[in-house]
Amino acid sequence: MKFILASQSPRRKELLSRVVSDFDVRVSHVEEVVPAGLQPQEVVMHLAKIKAEAVAQELRLEQPAQRFAVIGADTVVVLDGAILGKPRDGAEAEAMLTALSGRTHQVYTGVTLLQDGRRLTEHEVTAVTFRPLSPEEIAAYVSTGEPMDKAGAYGIQGLGALLVERLEGDYFNVMGLPLCRLGEMLAQFGVRPLEAAGLRRE
């Protein structure tokens, strides 16, 4: 069985490589339209599902005899119930970081696992608290360019780590792929990464 990551995120690719040794990346080009009225956890699960389903459909048409397990994911940053996407420019990045400064927000990631017509979709949430940031610090961080392709305008795996005072939950979830949750989902499909790695309990 071949694993396929339905994401172009280099961070998700790096994280998945920690638990699955052999997989391919296939970018989903599906239009990310979200029905109105969904809660953040519903938004990320919906987007993870349509990404995974779009890639699975392409693969079934191209290689009908091959078995695939497709993993789709989507991550959003939420402050006071409002979803913060990727900033369109430096000014919007600064506005987002100013809003997050000294406050606690939530990071939601939805994950879908598809195999042989079976689908499992779940989500993880992590609470992240920023320390108070000065306007000068915010401007300096934005000037690095790091915030521009990231939801909420920061990357915890990079210089954005300097902004985070504490977090509650899965650190990897903030990077874009909750590994503990994914491992539990894989186990439901009969895949146990620890055993596959030879780490069976004696």
Side-chain angles (χ1 to χ4, degrees), residues 118-144:
R118 182 184 176 192
R119 185 185 74 213
L120 182 62
T121 300
E122 298 185 5
H123 78 280
E124 190 68 45
V125 59
T126 302
V128 181
T129 302
F130 272 22
R131 64 179 177 81
L133 306 173
S134 69
E136 293 77 18
E137 287 177 310
I138 291 172
Y141 180 52
V142 172
S143 71
T144 67

PDB file of all heavy atoms in Angstrom, residues 118-144:
ATOM      1  N   ARG A 118     -12.756   3.767   2.416  1.00  0.00           N
ATOM      2  CA  ARG A 118     -13.004   4.065   3.823  1.00  0.00           C
ATOM      3  C   ARG A 118     -12.400   5.423   4.158  1.00  0.00           C
ATOM      4  O   ARG A 118     -11.283   5.733   3.724  1.00  0.00           O
ATOM      5  CB  ARG A 118     -12.388   2.986   4.712  1.00  0.00           C
ATOM      6  CG  ARG A 118     -12.636   3.205   6.196  1.00  0.00           C
ATOM      7  CD  ARG A 118     -11.921   2.162   7.030  1.00  0.00           C
ATOM      8  NE  ARG A 118     -12.075   2.407   8.445  1.00  0.00           N
ATOM      9  CZ  ARG A 118     -11.373   1.796   9.400  1.00  0.00           C
ATOM     10  NH1 ARG A 118     -10.463   0.892   9.047  1.00  0.00           N
ATOM     11  NH2 ARG A 118     -11.564   2.074  10.671  1.00  0.00           N
ATOM     12  N   ARG A 119     -13.138   6.223   4.930  1.00  0.00           N
ATOM     13  CA  ARG A 119     -12.647   7.562   5.277  1.00  0.00           C
ATOM     14  C   ARG A 119     -12.779   7.810   6.770  1.00  0.00           C
ATOM     15  O   ARG A 119     -13.790   7.482   7.383  1.00  0.00           O
ATOM     16  CB  ARG A 119     -13.444   8.633   4.527  1.00  0.00           C
ATOM     17  CG  ARG A 119     -12.900  10.046   4.750  1.00  0.00           C
ATOM     18  CD  ARG A 119     -13.795  11.087   4.098  1.00  0.00           C
ATOM     19  NE  ARG A 119     -15.022  11.257   4.859  1.00  0.00           N
ATOM     20  CZ  ARG A 119     -16.199  11.549   4.327  1.00  0.00           C
ATOM     21  NH1 ARG A 119     -16.324  11.666   3.021  1.00  0.00           N
ATOM     22  NH2 ARG A 119     -17.264  11.706   5.089  1.00  0.00           N
ATOM     23  N   LEU A 120     -11.725   8.399   7.322  1.00  0.00           N
ATOM     24  CA  LEU A 120     -11.722   8.802   8.726  1.00  0.00           C
ATOM     25  C   LEU A 120     -11.255  10.246   8.784  1.00  0.00           C
ATOM     26  O   LEU A 120     -10.204  10.587   8.244  1.00  0.00           O
ATOM     27  CB  LEU A 120     -10.783   7.896   9.531  1.00  0.00           C
ATOM     28  CG  LEU A 120     -10.694   8.135  11.039  1.00  0.00           C
ATOM     29  CD1 LEU A 120     -12.056   7.898  11.692  1.00  0.00           C
ATOM     30  CD2 LEU A 120      -9.655   7.223  11.661  1.00  0.00           C
ATOM     31  N   THR A 121     -12.039  11.111   9.429  1.00  0.00           N
ATOM     32  CA  THR A 121     -11.685  12.526   9.545  1.00  0.00           C
ATOM     33  C   THR A 121     -11.799  12.952  11.001  1.00  0.00           C
ATOM     34  O   THR A 121     -12.839  12.751  11.638  1.00  0.00           O
ATOM     35  CB  THR A 121     -12.602  13.412   8.686  1.00  0.00           C
ATOM     36  OG1 THR A 121     -12.485  13.029   7.311  1.00  0.00           O
ATOM     37  CG2 THR A 121     -12.205  14.878   8.817  1.00  0.00           C
ATOM     38  N   GLU A 122     -10.730  13.538  11.527  1.00  0.00           N
ATOM     39  CA  GLU A 122     -10.701  14.008  12.908  1.00  0.00           C
ATOM     40  C   GLU A 122     -10.011  15.368  12.963  1.00  0.00           C
ATOM     41  O   GLU A 122      -9.525  15.871  11.951  1.00  0.00           O
ATOM     42  CB  GLU A 122      -9.991  12.995  13.812  1.00  0.00           C
ATOM     43  CG  GLU A 122     -10.679  11.633  13.858  1.00  0.00           C
ATOM     44  CD  GLU A 122     -10.045  10.674  14.848  1.00  0.00           C
ATOM     45  OE1 GLU A 122      -9.115  11.095  15.581  1.00  0.00           O
ATOM     46  OE2 GLU A 122     -10.474   9.504  14.883  1.00  0.00           O
ATOM     47  N   HIS A 123      -9.967  15.942  14.161  1.00  0.00           N
ATOM     48  CA  HIS A 123      -9.283  17.232  14.302  1.00  0.00           C
ATOM     49  C   HIS A 123      -8.565  17.300  15.644  1.00  0.00           C
ATOM     50  O   HIS A 123      -8.868  16.534  16.568  1.00  0.00           O
ATOM     51  CB  HIS A 123     -10.259  18.403  14.180  1.00  0.00           C
ATOM     52  CG  HIS A 123     -11.070  18.655  15.422  1.00  0.00           C
ATOM     53  ND1 HIS A 123     -12.183  17.918  15.744  1.00  0.00           N
ATOM     54  CD2 HIS A 123     -10.897  19.566  16.424  1.00  0.00           C
ATOM     55  CE1 HIS A 123     -12.681  18.359  16.892  1.00  0.00           C
ATOM     56  NE2 HIS A 123     -11.923  19.349  17.328  1.00  0.00           N
ATOM     57  N   GLU A 124      -7.616  18.194  15.710  1.00  0.00           N
ATOM     58  CA  GLU A 124      -6.858  18.457  16.939  1.00  0.00           C
ATOM     59  C   GLU A 124      -6.846  19.962  17.170  1.00  0.00           C
ATOM     60  O   GLU A 124      -6.866  20.757  16.219  1.00  0.00           O
ATOM     61  CB  GLU A 124      -5.426  17.937  16.795  1.00  0.00           C
ATOM     62  CG  GLU A 124      -4.634  17.935  18.084  1.00  0.00           C
ATOM     63  CD  GLU A 124      -5.149  16.912  19.090  1.00  0.00           C
ATOM     64  OE1 GLU A 124      -5.430  15.761  18.692  1.00  0.00           O
ATOM     65  OE2 GLU A 124      -5.282  17.279  20.275  1.00  0.00           O
ATOM     66  N   VAL A 125      -6.822  20.373  18.446  1.00  0.00           N
ATOM     67  CA  VAL A 125      -6.744  21.800  18.769  1.00  0.00           C
ATOM     68  C   VAL A 125      -5.669  22.021  19.827  1.00  0.00           C
ATOM     69  O   VAL A 125      -5.534  21.225  20.771  1.00  0.00           O
ATOM     70  CB  VAL A 125      -8.107  22.344  19.245  1.00  0.00           C
ATOM     71  CG1 VAL A 125      -8.604  21.612  20.473  1.00  0.00           C
ATOM     72  CG2 VAL A 125      -8.019  23.841  19.508  1.00  0.00           C
ATOM     73  N   THR A 126      -4.883  23.061  19.645  1.00  0.00           N
ATOM     74  CA  THR A 126      -3.825  23.437  20.580  1.00  0.00           C
ATOM     75  C   THR A 126      -3.994  24.902  20.948  1.00  0.00           C
ATOM     76  O   THR A 126      -4.239  25.747  20.071  1.00  0.00           O
ATOM     77  CB  THR A 126      -2.434  23.233  19.951  1.00  0.00           C
ATOM     78  OG1 THR A 126      -2.282  21.869  19.559  1.00  0.00           O
ATOM     79  CG2 THR A 126      -1.321  23.606  20.923  1.00  0.00           C
ATOM     80  N   ALA A 127      -3.885  25.224  22.229  1.00  0.00           N
ATOM     81  CA  ALA A 127      -3.955  26.610  22.691  1.00  0.00           C
ATOM     82  C   ALA A 127      -2.545  27.187  22.751  1.00  0.00           C
ATOM     83  O   ALA A 127      -1.654  26.599  23.374  1.00  0.00           O
ATOM     84  CB  ALA A 127      -4.617  26.692  24.064  1.00  0.00           C
ATOM     85  N   VAL A 128      -2.345  28.325  22.114  1.00  0.00           N
ATOM     86  CA  VAL A 128      -1.028  28.958  22.045  1.00  0.00           C
ATOM     87  C   VAL A 128      -1.124  30.372  22.623  1.00  0.00           C
ATOM     88  O   VAL A 128      -2.008  31.140  22.248  1.00  0.00           O
ATOM     89  CB  VAL A 128      -0.527  29.047  20.588  1.00  0.00           C
ATOM     90  CG1 VAL A 128       0.857  29.689  20.531  1.00  0.00           C
ATOM     91  CG2 VAL A 128      -0.504  27.657  19.953  1.00  0.00           C
ATOM     92  N   THR A 129      -0.211  30.693  23.534  1.00  0.00           N
ATOM     93  CA  THR A 129      -0.187  32.018  24.143  1.00  0.00           C
ATOM     94  C   THR A 129       1.064  32.759  23.713  1.00  0.00           C
ATOM     95  O   THR A 129       2.189  32.256  23.872  1.00  0.00           O
ATOM     96  CB  THR A 129      -0.219  31.928  25.680  1.00  0.00           C
ATOM     97  OG1 THR A 129      -1.396  31.225  26.087  1.00  0.00           O
ATOM     98  CG2 THR A 129      -0.223  33.326  26.301  1.00  0.00           C
ATOM     99  N   PHE A 130       0.876  33.946  23.141  1.00  0.00           N
ATOM    100  CA  PHE A 130       1.995  34.815  22.779  1.00  0.00           C
ATOM    101  C   PHE A 130       2.384  35.686  23.967  1.00  0.00           C
ATOM    102  O   PHE A 130       1.521  36.126  24.738  1.00  0.00           O
ATOM    103  CB  PHE A 130       1.590  35.752  21.633  1.00  0.00           C
ATOM    104  CG  PHE A 130       1.808  35.184  20.259  1.00  0.00           C
ATOM    105  CD1 PHE A 130       1.902  33.826  20.031  1.00  0.00           C
ATOM    106  CD2 PHE A 130       1.907  36.032  19.168  1.00  0.00           C
ATOM    107  CE1 PHE A 130       2.107  33.316  18.766  1.00  0.00           C
ATOM    108  CE2 PHE A 130       2.103  35.546  17.890  1.00  0.00           C
ATOM    109  CZ  PHE A 130       2.206  34.186  17.681  1.00  0.00           C
ATOM    110  N   ARG A 131       3.658  35.964  24.097  1.00  0.00           N
ATOM    111  CA  ARG A 131       4.085  36.986  25.044  1.00  0.00           C
ATOM    112  C   ARG A 131       3.743  38.360  24.457  1.00  0.00           C
ATOM    113  O   ARG A 131       3.508  38.477  23.241  1.00  0.00           O
ATOM    114  CB  ARG A 131       5.582  36.871  25.311  1.00  0.00           C
ATOM    115  CG  ARG A 131       6.457  37.125  24.088  1.00  0.00           C
ATOM    116  CD  ARG A 131       7.931  37.006  24.433  1.00  0.00           C
ATOM    117  NE  ARG A 131       8.782  37.184  23.258  1.00  0.00           N
ATOM    118  CZ  ARG A 131       9.133  38.353  22.745  1.00  0.00           C
ATOM    119  NH1 ARG A 131       8.675  39.482  23.286  1.00  0.00           N
ATOM    120  NH2 ARG A 131       9.922  38.419  21.691  1.00  0.00           N
ATOM    121  N   PRO A 132       3.703  39.400  25.271  1.00  0.00           N
ATOM    122  CA  PRO A 132       3.460  40.737  24.727  1.00  0.00           C
ATOM    123  C   PRO A 132       4.578  41.134  23.758  1.00  0.00           C
ATOM    124  O   PRO A 132       5.766  40.955  24.066  1.00  0.00           O
ATOM    125  CB  PRO A 132       3.449  41.630  25.963  1.00  0.00           C
ATOM    126  CG  PRO A 132       3.080  40.712  27.089  1.00  0.00           C
ATOM    127  CD  PRO A 132       3.723  39.398  26.748  1.00  0.00           C
ATOM    128  N   LEU A 133       4.213  41.643  22.606  1.00  0.00           N
ATOM    129  CA  LEU A 133       5.173  42.008  21.570  1.00  0.00           C
ATOM    130  C   LEU A 133       5.156  43.513  21.336  1.00  0.00           C
ATOM    131  O   LEU A 133       4.080  44.118  21.269  1.00  0.00           O
ATOM    132  CB  LEU A 133       4.839  41.285  20.259  1.00  0.00           C
ATOM    133  CG  LEU A 133       4.696  39.769  20.317  1.00  0.00           C
ATOM    134  CD1 LEU A 133       4.194  39.237  18.980  1.00  0.00           C
ATOM    135  CD2 LEU A 133       6.014  39.116  20.702  1.00  0.00           C
ATOM    136  N   SER A 134       6.334  44.095  21.191  1.00  0.00           N
ATOM    137  CA  SER A 134       6.407  45.520  20.867  1.00  0.00           C
ATOM    138  C   SER A 134       6.204  45.715  19.366  1.00  0.00           C
ATOM    139  O   SER A 134       6.441  44.793  18.578  1.00  0.00           O
ATOM    140  CB  SER A 134       7.765  46.079  21.275  1.00  0.00           C
ATOM    141  OG  SER A 134       8.788  45.553  20.430  1.00  0.00           O
ATOM    142  N   PRO A 135       5.773  46.893  18.946  1.00  0.00           N
ATOM    143  CA  PRO A 135       5.642  47.165  17.514  1.00  0.00           C
ATOM    144  C   PRO A 135       6.948  46.944  16.754  1.00  0.00           C
ATOM    145  O   PRO A 135       6.937  46.492  15.603  1.00  0.00           O
ATOM    146  CB  PRO A 135       5.211  48.638  17.477  1.00  0.00           C
ATOM    147  CG  PRO A 135       4.524  48.852  18.787  1.00  0.00           C
ATOM    148  CD  PRO A 135       5.296  48.015  19.769  1.00  0.00           C
ATOM    149  N   GLU A 136       8.061  47.229  17.403  1.00  0.00           N
ATOM    150  CA  GLU A 136       9.361  47.042  16.760  1.00  0.00           C
ATOM    151  C   GLU A 136       9.654  45.559  16.529  1.00  0.00           C
ATOM    152  O   GLU A 136      10.177  45.169  15.477  1.00  0.00           O
ATOM    153  CB  GLU A 136      10.468  47.665  17.613  1.00  0.00           C
ATOM    154  CG  GLU A 136      10.423  49.178  17.708  1.00  0.00           C
ATOM    155  CD  GLU A 136       9.344  49.692  18.657  1.00  0.00           C
ATOM    156  OE1 GLU A 136       8.855  48.900  19.508  1.00  0.00           O
ATOM    157  OE2 GLU A 136       8.974  50.887  18.543  1.00  0.00           O
ATOM    158  N   GLU A 137       9.315  44.728  17.515  1.00  0.00           N
ATOM    159  CA  GLU A 137       9.522  43.287  17.357  1.00  0.00           C
ATOM    160  C   GLU A 137       8.639  42.733  16.237  1.00  0.00           C
ATOM    161  O   GLU A 137       9.086  41.906  15.437  1.00  0.00           O
ATOM    162  CB  GLU A 137       9.196  42.568  18.668  1.00  0.00           C
ATOM    163  CG  GLU A 137      10.232  42.762  19.751  1.00  0.00           C
ATOM    164  CD  GLU A 137       9.821  42.078  21.041  1.00  0.00           C
ATOM    165  OE1 GLU A 137       8.686  42.281  21.502  1.00  0.00           O
ATOM    166  OE2 GLU A 137      10.642  41.308  21.577  1.00  0.00           O
ATOM    167  N   ILE A 138       7.412  43.178  16.201  1.00  0.00           N
ATOM    168  CA  ILE A 138       6.487  42.708  15.168  1.00  0.00           C
ATOM    169  C   ILE A 138       6.994  43.097  13.788  1.00  0.00           C
ATOM    170  O   ILE A 138       7.028  42.273  12.857  1.00  0.00           O
ATOM    171  CB  ILE A 138       5.073  43.270  15.417  1.00  0.00           C
ATOM    172  CG1 ILE A 138       4.475  42.625  16.670  1.00  0.00           C
ATOM    173  CG2 ILE A 138       4.170  43.034  14.199  1.00  0.00           C
ATOM    174  CD1 ILE A 138       3.162  43.236  17.116  1.00  0.00           C
ATOM    175  N   ALA A 139       7.418  44.352  13.640  1.00  0.00           N
ATOM    176  CA  ALA A 139       7.925  44.816  12.345  1.00  0.00           C
ATOM    177  C   ALA A 139       9.175  44.041  11.936  1.00  0.00           C
ATOM    178  O   ALA A 139       9.350  43.682  10.756  1.00  0.00           O
ATOM    179  CB  ALA A 139       8.215  46.307  12.411  1.00  0.00           C
ATOM    180  N   ALA A 140      10.050  43.761  12.913  1.00  0.00           N
ATOM    181  CA  ALA A 140      11.276  43.028  12.614  1.00  0.00           C
ATOM    182  C   ALA A 140      10.962  41.605  12.164  1.00  0.00           C
ATOM    183  O   ALA A 140      11.580  41.094  11.220  1.00  0.00           O
ATOM    184  CB  ALA A 140      12.188  43.016  13.844  1.00  0.00           C
ATOM    185  N   TYR A 141       9.991  40.970  12.824  1.00  0.00           N
ATOM    186  CA  TYR A 141       9.626  39.604  12.450  1.00  0.00           C
ATOM    187  C   TYR A 141       9.005  39.575  11.057  1.00  0.00           C
ATOM    188  O   TYR A 141       9.346  38.723  10.229  1.00  0.00           O
ATOM    189  CB  TYR A 141       8.670  39.013  13.481  1.00  0.00           C
ATOM    190  CG  TYR A 141       8.233  37.607  13.167  1.00  0.00           C
ATOM    191  CD1 TYR A 141       9.168  36.604  12.887  1.00  0.00           C
ATOM    192  CD2 TYR A 141       6.886  37.267  13.143  1.00  0.00           C
ATOM    193  CE1 TYR A 141       8.766  35.308  12.599  1.00  0.00           C
ATOM    194  CE2 TYR A 141       6.473  35.973  12.859  1.00  0.00           C
ATOM    195  CZ  TYR A 141       7.416  35.002  12.581  1.00  0.00           C
ATOM    196  OH  TYR A 141       7.025  33.725  12.284  1.00  0.00           O
ATOM    197  N   VAL A 142       8.122  40.516  10.782  1.00  0.00           N
ATOM    198  CA  VAL A 142       7.492  40.558   9.459  1.00  0.00           C
ATOM    199  C   VAL A 142       8.529  40.790   8.371  1.00  0.00           C
ATOM    200  O   VAL A 142       8.452  40.235   7.274  1.00  0.00           O
ATOM    201  CB  VAL A 142       6.391  41.643   9.422  1.00  0.00           C
ATOM    202  CG1 VAL A 142       5.870  41.840   7.996  1.00  0.00           C
ATOM    203  CG2 VAL A 142       5.246  41.272  10.357  1.00  0.00           C
ATOM    204  N   SER A 143       9.554  41.579   8.682  1.00  0.00           N
ATOM    205  CA  SER A 143      10.590  41.890   7.684  1.00  0.00           C
ATOM    206  C   SER A 143      11.393  40.656   7.270  1.00  0.00           C
ATOM    207  O   SER A 143      12.027  40.652   6.214  1.00  0.00           O
ATOM    208  CB  SER A 143      11.537  42.963   8.210  1.00  0.00           C
ATOM    209  OG  SER A 143      12.380  42.456   9.241  1.00  0.00           O
ATOM    210  N   THR A 144      11.348  39.587   8.085  1.00  0.00           N
ATOM    211  CA  THR A 144      12.065  38.357   7.721  1.00  0.00           C
ATOM    212  C   THR A 144      11.353  37.597   6.604  1.00  0.00           C
ATOM    213  O   THR A 144      11.944  36.730   5.968  1.00  0.00           O
ATOM    214  CB  THR A 144      12.195  37.411   8.927  1.00  0.00           C
ATOM    215  OG1 THR A 144      10.900  36.916   9.298  1.00  0.00           O
ATOM    216  CG2 THR A 144      12.831  38.130  10.115  1.00  0.00           C
TER     217      THR A 144
END
